[in-house]
Amino acid sequence: MEEKNEKQLSWLMIALIAFNFVWGLGNVVNNFAQQGIVVITSWLIILVIYFIPYSLMVGQLGSTFQDSEGGVSDWIKHTSTKKLAYFAAWTFWVVQIPYLAQKPQTILIALGWVFQGHSGIVDELPIPLLVAVCLAFFLFILYVSTKGIRVLKFLGTVAGSAMFVMSILFILLAVGVPLIKPDLQLATANMDKLETYIPKFDFAYFTTIALLVFSVGGAESMSPYVRKVKNPTKEFPKGMIAMAVMVGICAVFGSFAMGMIFDSNNIPQDLMRNGAYQAFAVLGKHWNIGNVLVTIYALTQFIGQTATLALSIDAPLQIFLGSADKEYVPRWLRTRTKNGTLKNGYLLTGILTGALIVMPALGLKEIDTVVVWMTNLNAIVSPMCFLWVFVAFMFLYRHWDRYKNAEYKYISNKTLGFLMGLWGFAFTAFACILGMVPQVDYAQNPSEWWFVLISNIIMPFALLGLGLVLPWIARREQKQQA
């Protein structure tokens, strides 16, 4: 009876939860800021050649290893070795560092829109002072997260649901404007012509692919929910397919809505920072409701991002160190206080994230440059964890005789399955490497271009490289105890 009660999630619930993990209005705004209206074509391409296959791979791996609680690292452990499983777990934890470092500035921007109706808080601060404020705020949330975050979990759930509603509302309101204003002049010219949506496939275009890949990733985070799904071998993959369709609809129509509001040929420099708020302000004006939508969105962002920051400190740490193998993770990092807090894990998180928060003060001079750099750094680093999904898929087909009788199979042919995993790995790596090249024109400050390029190259290797050090420390520790 207990087992029956535990498995309560349908494919639709899985699709909605996964959609919340993967999608947000920021994905629409950030990619439109980089590509303009041609991003609609980019979304369609990325959905067909990357995101849908990726979602189906996650569906197959999740249904094949439905009793695994450790997600991708367990998939690697089942199909390969404990050592590779450790590196997968480390990667999934360490890619959170740039994500955590970006949150304080996002929260401050939201706070400015709540109280001032613009992002004045960050506009008025010089970069060194802004960095200091962001660092102080992060350290405060780091401290709070060590004391328990039950209230923040509740607020985060509420804000996450509200953000989902706001994302859908944005599309509906924007697409509905021509219905109430037939003579509306769209911001982007020639939106009724096909050539408006055709990208120029040059080197600059390919440097923006990483952000698209980053925007559609995260479905693998659903793996802990597989055990709670009714008939997981059929329902979980079905939920992944439904989620992919939902993301595709929101990406295309959301980008079209952005083109109605902002001129694709003259994109504002601060669009990544303020685009979502400015879009809601324009929609509020069209629908004669003032700044109500802006205030609601800003409050939702402030509460949701604060809760997400705390949860993103604690949850990945618990997953990584909760069942860490002593062969690869030193005892001092696994040490808990009497209350169960992973004190040295929090300390390591604080040091790495704090260092990244401070970095802009060493070479960047404007807030918009900082926002763009941090967003693109996330787009370079975060997809590194997606690589392990494709590695697990390739290993699955290397041992196909063991798993070929699984109830759900995305691909039945052993060779084709391996090649599909290899394609996903190669495409993700290609996007991350090209994403290291700065997308912003730094003609007036070439030193900033070099700062961004060098930091984009060093950061992924530094974060991954630290994962090689821990097993060495663990081995020394074991030798001393022997």
Side-chain angles (χ1 to χ4, degrees):
M1 189 69 178
E2 184 178 348
E3 177 69 15
K4 184 179 177 182
N5 291 334
E6 185 185 352
K7 296 197 171 187
Q8 293 298 318
L9 296 180
S10 67
W11 67 268
L12 182 57
M13 293 177 185
I14 282 293
L16 290 171
I17 295 170
F19 181 83
N20 237 352
F21 271 129
V22 172
W23 198 249
L25 185 55
N27 293 331
V28 174
V29 175
N30 291 338
N31 284 285
F32 184 87
Q34 284 205 341
Q35 292 194 16
I37 198 68
V38 301
V39 77
I40 290 178
T41 302
S42 300
W43 282 125
L44 293 173
I45 293 172
I46 210 80
L47 287 166
V48 172
I49 71 169
Y50 184 81
F51 182 53
I52 292 174
Y54 159 78
S55 300
L56 293 173
M57 289 181 203
V58 170
Q60 180 171 341
L61 288 163
S63 61
T64 302
F65 305 111
Q66 57 189 266
D67 294 324
S68 299
E69 294 183 343
V72 180
S73 60
D74 268 3
W75 298 346
I76 295 290
K77 188 187 297 183
H78 282 301
T79 57
S80 183
T81 64
K82 287 198 301 181
K83 181 180 286 188
L84 275 183
Y86 155 74
F87 285 119
W90 168 260
T91 305
F92 268 83
W93 176 74
V94 83
V95 298
Q96 296 289 326
I97 299 302
Y99 180 77
L100 296 176
Q102 188 181 21
K103 288 298 172 191
Q105 57 180 250
T106 304
I107 293 166
L108 286 178
I109 291 167
L111 206 57
W113 281 93
V114 170
F115 292 108
Q116 297 177 286
H118 55 81
S119 61
I121 292 178
V122 296
D123 280 332
E124 296 160 7
L125 296 176
I127 294 300
L129 185 55
L130 175 65
V131 162
V133 172
C134 288
L135 181 60
F137 184 81
F138 169 74
L139 293 175
F140 171 72
I141 296 297
L142 182 71
Y143 172 77
V144 169
S145 64
T146 66
K147 302 300 178 183
I149 49 179
R150 187 174 298 175
V151 175
L152 282 175
K153 282 184 179 179
F154 171 75
L155 290 175
T157 303
V158 173
S161 301
M163 186 58 68
F164 169 71
V165 172
M166 293 296 288
S167 298
I168 302 299
L169 189 63
F170 168 73
I171 295 172
L172 295 176
L173 290 176
V175 174
V177 169
L179 298 178
I180 61 170
K181 293 188 174 182
D183 59 342
L184 178 72
Q185 183 68 37
L186 302 183
T188 300
N190 301 318
M191 288 185 68
D192 58 337
K193 295 182 179 179
L194 183 62
E195 56 264 28
T196 304
Y197 303 92
I198 305 301
K200 184 181 179 183
F201 295 104
D202 54 9
F203 181 76
Y205 172 83
F206 287 109
T207 64
T208 65
I209 294 176
L211 191 55
L212 288 165
V213 171
F214 170 57
S215 297
V216 296
E220 73 286 341
S221 301
M222 290 299 299
S223 54
Y225 291 87
V226 179
R227 297 182 66 185
K228 298 180 181 179
V229 179
K230 302 171 186 175
N231 192 8
T233 53
K234 293 182 179 179
E235 296 287 287
F236 187 74
K238 192 175 177 181
M240 291 294 99
I241 295 169
M243 177 271 296
V245 171
M246 291 164 64
V247 167
I249 292 171
C250 289
V252 171
F253 283 97
S255 301
F256 187 84
M258 287 294 292
M260 294 170 59
I261 297 169
F262 298 101
D263 183 359
S264 177
N265 299 310
N266 189 24
I267 296 173
Q269 186 179 352
D270 67 340
L271 192 66
M272 273 195 186
R273 174 163 55 104
N274 294 319
Y277 303 98
Q278 292 168 348
F280 275 118
V282 172
L283 291 177
K285 185 178 178 181
H286 284 314
W287 289 90
N288 297 317
I289 53 177
N291 285 328
V292 173
L293 293 174
V294 177
T295 304
I296 293 173
Y297 181 78
L299 278 170
T300 302
Q301 271 285 82
F302 173 69
I303 296 170
Q305 295 297 323
T306 302
T308 300
L309 176 57
L311 293 170
S312 298
I313 292 171
D314 182 70
L317 201 59
Q318 296 292 345
I319 293 171
F320 173 53
L321 297 178
S323 57
D325 195 316
K326 64 181 181 181
E327 288 184 40
Y328 305 107
V329 180
R331 187 175 62 179
W332 62 266
L333 192 54
R334 293 180 279 117
T335 301
R336 294 180 182 269
T337 64
K338 292 179 180 178
N339 297 325
T341 302
L342 291 158
K343 60 178 184 178
N344 290 326
Y346 276 93
L347 180 62
L348 181 61
T349 302
I351 292 171
L352 294 177
T353 308
L356 191 51
I357 289 174
V358 170
M359 272 187 66
L362 304 177
L364 301 179
K365 299 177 177 62
E366 296 180 357
I367 177 59
D368 288 316
T369 308
V370 175
V371 171
V372 172
W373 170 67
M374 195 67 80
T375 301
N376 285 321
L377 182 61
N378 266 291
I380 297 164
V381 173
S382 289
M384 292 192 305
C385 64
F386 309 158
L387 293 172
W388 289 105
V389 174
F390 301 116
V391 168
F393 199 74
M394 284 189 283
F395 278 132
L396 183 76
Y397 282 87
R398 274 189 63 188
H399 305 287
W400 190 233
D401 291 340
R402 198 187 309 170
Y403 301 109
K404 65 182 180 182
N405 295 322
E407 287 189 48
Y408 172 74
K409 293 184 286 289
Y410 163 43
I411 296 173
S412 298
N413 182 274
K414 179 179 180 179
T415 303
L416 185 59
F418 183 87
L419 290 175
M420 185 60 74
L422 182 62
W423 157 255
F425 185 95
F427 186 83
T428 305
F430 170 78
C432 291
I433 292 169
L434 283 188
M436 294 177 180
V437 180
Q439 287 84 34
V440 178
D441 181 11
Y442 295 100
Q444 295 180 343
N445 295 293
S447 61
E448 289 189 340
W449 189 91
W450 283 106
F451 172 85
V452 172
L453 178 64
I454 292 169
S455 59
N456 284 351
I457 294 172
I458 291 176
M459 191 58 60
F461 290 104
L463 293 175
L464 290 179
L466 187 57
L468 297 172
V469 176
L470 293 183
W472 177 75
I473 297 174
R475 284 195 298 271
R476 283 177 57 90
E477 187 178 79
Q478 289 172 20
K479 286 180 181 179
Q480 291 172 358
Q481 292 173 354

